Amino acid sequence: MTSPLSPRLLRAGLVVLDPDSGHSRRVITLQYNPDALTRGFQLKTAGAEGGARGEALRITGPPVQTLTLEADLDAADQLTDPQTAELGLTAQLAALESLAYPSLAAVQDAAALLAAGTLEVVPPPAPLVLLAFGRRRLWPVRITELTITEEAFDPMLNPIRAKIRLGLRVLTVNDVGTDGRAGGLAMAAHQQLEQLAGRARGGRLADLGIDRLP
């Protein structure tokens, strides 16, 4: 029995938003939180080699941040759910896979426009995806990689154990601007970063063995 004093376990997951209204379409919760989250940064600076003097310290925009996470799924812990008992992990995996596809309606609309002689068909906007990794780290992201490894199956060949690997790129104002739902989420993520950085405990020069700066 869980103690009432035990902290609530938050789950990492993806929130799929409508690109126009910003309303939540679906929440994909990871069954088990990843053991590791790898984050990479490619800085955007004006001080390239051979650049103009005085430009070395200029940051031209937010960095390109990439995220990689791996998570496990296991139907054995969900067999009391009738759908899981029937389908295993098929539906959960399909929800993730669908993020890599345009909607069927969009494909049909594009085909109809091409059949009618339209010379150029503009791809529809994909759903806006938000990675939630705790209350204070909410990143609007674009999925760049999805790998699914199915490891065990039931008698109907439904996967009952799987590993997923997600590669994500964090969207910033360089990608989506500052207006609209996507821009608001990008600005909010930037604000959260600065607020957290402001709470970091600062050190002293003496901690570094320095009496004073030259």
Side-chain angles (χ1 to χ4, degrees):
M1 181 175 179
T2 303
S3 166
L5 299 179
S6 299
R8 179 188 173 193
L9 175 64
L10 298 183
R11 299 286 180 83
L14 301 172
V15 183
V16 184
L17 305 174
D18 184 275
D20 297 319
S21 67
H23 294 156
S24 174
R25 288 184 180 176
R26 173 181 291 155
V27 176
I28 302 175
T29 305
L30 299 180
Q31 183 180 2
Y32 306 114
N33 282 334
D35 291 327
L37 173 66
T38 303
R39 305 166 61 205
F41 297 84
Q42 181 182 348
L43 275 60
K44 291 183 174 292
T45 60
E49 189 70 25
R53 182 178 298 176
E55 297 295 308
L57 299 179
R58 295 188 187 276
I59 297 177
T60 60
V64 175
Q65 181 181 177
T66 56
L67 310 173
T68 303
L69 60 87
E70 297 181 0
D72 297 328
L73 299 176
D74 194 334
D77 289 347
Q78 306 176 61
L79 292 180
T80 55
D81 175 30
Q83 179 172 282
T84 303
E86 176 190 1
L87 300 175
L89 299 173
T90 305
Q92 295 178 56
L93 296 177
L96 284 168
E97 289 177 62
S98 67
L99 299 179
Y101 286 80
S103 68
L104 181 59
V107 172
Q108 293 170 331
D109 290 344
L113 289 172
L114 288 172
T118 304
L119 296 179
E120 183 178 0
V121 178
V122 179
L128 177 61
V129 179
L130 185 69
L131 173 65
F133 215 88
R135 295 189 183 95
R136 295 182 177 86
R137 295 204 291 180
L138 304 173
W139 295 297
V141 296
R142 182 177 71 223
I143 296 177
T144 58
E145 176 194 351
L146 172 60
T147 302
I148 298 173
T149 303
E150 300 176 4
E151 298 185 324
F153 304 88
D154 68 12
M156 300 302 294
L157 287 182
N158 294 311
I160 56 175
R161 192 167 65 243
K163 292 181 180 294
I164 62 171
R165 175 185 171 90
L166 269 175
L168 307 165
R169 172 175 167 171
V170 177
L171 299 177
T172 69
V173 294
N174 282 351
D175 304 302
V176 297
T178 57
D179 298 326
R181 186 67 167 133
L185 289 170
M187 292 290 286
H190 196 156
Q191 183 181 43
Q192 287 172 342
L193 173 67
E194 293 198 346
Q195 289 175 344
L196 287 172
R199 297 180 63 176
R201 296 182 184 277
R204 303 169 301 169
L205 288 176
D207 297 332
L208 308 177
I210 303 173
D211 295 329
R212 60 186 178 86
L213 296 175

